[in-house]
Amino acid sequence: GALSSFAAISSTVYTATFTPTTDGAVTIDVAINTFTDASGNNNTEEEVTLDGSTDLNTKVSKSIQGRAVDGYLVYSTVCLDLNLDNYCQIDDEPASSTDESGTFNLKVTPKQEKHVNFGVAPLLVYDGYDSDTKKDFIGKLKALYDEENDATFNVTPVTTLVEAIVAKEKNHSKDAIKKAKKNVAKALNIDVDLIDEDPVEAAKNKGVKGEQLLKAALKVQKTVELLSNAEHEGQGSENSREKLAEISERIFNTIANGVQDVAENPDTRED
């Protein structure tokens, strides 16, 4: 840690600010015979122990704002999936829920920001309901999180495909992400510059290209829902949201693989 802001409150009282740089307990040592009182007596050796863990666990170092869109998703669980386990661990990860407009705001603590997966963990959304259809949202949507970008992060079926390709390749470099976005845009016939946009807003404000983005997002999600329900019923599985979400995620990954193949091997694409 570091001491700063030394100040004399009076002839006998002095203050300083201690800022911890690590989690857990820290000690401040005052060496013997360093200070004298008004009578000229030297100080004894002192040691003060401070626990900085509470501050590092609760202090907010940054916020992540965004929107979950498949129609806007209301009261959905959302987090930065630091554990990479496809579930939101409320006690360990930046987590919250969407509001009635699908927006969310995640509070990140210094401890979470230092997590080994902070630079590669995706934004994850599940549960809640679709504001357009009023139906429960069954599935999981993801989006890449860029810690250098302060923009609003939209989590959509299209961003889910991009994240799936990047996660499969295990390469989060800027070039790899750019390539994944380009492949998804090419396969879905959408403008790559709009790939991270809110499809609903894009359709309203970005003309034909925005309408193409919304159409592609809805088509991807509808395909995932139909295939997920068919597989779920075929297996005779219980009507479990969790089971359907697992099937949905697997189908998203399968579609992402197909998207990548079509983009990189155009001769394999059927007319």
Side-chain angles (χ1 to χ4, degrees), residues 95-107:
S96 184
S97 60
T98 59
D99 63 17
E100 294 182 351
S101 64
T103 61
F104 60 84
N105 188 357
L106 305 181
K107 304 296 186 181

Side-chain angles (χ1 to χ4, degrees), residues 25-32 43-50:
V26 294
T27 60
I28 301 175
D29 295 312
V30 180
I32 191 171
N43 68 286
T44 58
E45 185 177 17
E46 296 289 341
E47 182 179 279
V48 179
T49 300
L50 301 175

